[in-house]
Amino acid sequence: METIKIFDAQNYQPHWKKYKRDSVRGIIFHAGRLVLVRSDKYGEYKFPGGGIEAGESHADALAREVREETGLHVIPESVAAYGKTLVLRKGRGRNTQPDEIFEQESFYYTCEIDGRNRSQPQLDPGYEQEYGYRPVFATLEEAIKANEERLHIPEIPWVARDLYVLEKLLREG
């Protein structure tokens, strides 16, 4: 899969130990809008997705994460590679130490959902519940505007990554 952007904070020492966490993200258009997850705490939009578990395929991880975060069900044969991003930054807690490098490749996939099949979202009891994430249907423009206004918030470093992808989607039409 092609790397579409590297986000390197350069706020770490190159010799530090790395903590690598790969993830999948769903780009889902449905009824003319984009399926995203929005935080009640900060108001940012992010693509539904999350970490790939040991032994899990990207398609299986994508279906699981989209279902957990939105309650929507991905149609497996609709999954297609879009591109990946790479994030490198100093560890911030949760899974990393301050003297570790957090490295995350996010694999973005376009996909469709089964509009007739929906379940209750099941957020992680950690930050997902704390931030009040909920599924939303939004236009690219409203998600871009909201994320641009939140780039300065250190607790949501993924905003720059997802803003880049949102803007890329808008440019591509």
Side-chain angles (χ1 to χ4, degrees):
M1 184 179 294
E2 176 190 358
T3 300
I4 57 176
K5 180 77 171 167
I6 297 172
F7 298 89
D8 188 346
Q10 298 181 352
N11 61 350
Y12 54 85
Q13 297 298 316
H15 66 273
W16 288 356
K17 184 175 112 183
K18 282 187 181 174
Y19 174 82
K20 187 166 174 41
R21 177 82 168 144
D22 289 344
S23 63
V24 291
R25 314 256 172 234
I27 299 172
I28 308 163
F29 284 96
H30 185 74
R33 294 188 167 253
L34 192 57
V35 177
L36 296 166
V37 180
R38 185 158 194 205
S39 159
D40 288 333
K41 185 171 185 174
Y42 295 108
E44 89 282 7
Y45 290 86
K46 68 185 199 97
F47 290 93
I52 302 164
E53 295 177 1
E56 194 174 37
S57 72
H58 284 206
D60 288 344
L62 181 66
R64 177 184 51 76
E65 285 288 347
V66 168
R67 187 179 59 254
E68 287 175 1
E69 292 187 356
T70 69
L72 300 169
H73 297 258
V74 170
I75 299 170
E77 35 304 329
S78 73
V79 175
Y82 178 76
K84 67 181 176 178
T85 61
L86 173 63
V87 170
L88 296 162
R89 64 172 164 78
K90 180 180 181 177
R92 298 178 8 143
R94 276 201 350 223
N95 297 317
T96 58
Q97 300 301 313
D99 61 348
E100 285 183 321
I101 300 169
F102 176 75
E103 177 181 324
Q104 182 177 47
E105 281 188 301
S106 289
F107 298 86
Y108 287 81
Y109 291 91
T110 60
C111 58
E112 297 174 17
I113 53 168
D114 177 351
R116 302 165 307 198
N117 201 357
R118 189 162 190 172
S119 53
Q120 212 39 34
Q122 297 182 350
L123 301 178
D124 278 338
Y127 87 98
E128 288 181 350
Q129 286 184 5
E130 177 192 336
Y131 286 19
Y133 283 119
R134 61 187 165 78
V136 295
F137 293 85
T139 66
L140 284 167
E141 293 83 2
E142 50 188 334
I144 288 169
K145 183 177 185 310
N147 282 8
E148 284 174 339
E149 294 170 355
R150 288 156 177 83
L151 282 170
H152 66 283
I153 303 173
E155 290 81 8
I156 51 174
W158 47 83
V159 168
R161 178 199 68 211
D162 282 357
L163 176 59
Y164 178 84
V165 176
L166 289 163
E167 291 172 334
K168 183 174 179 356
L169 288 166
L170 184 63
R171 285 191 306 272
E172 293 170 349

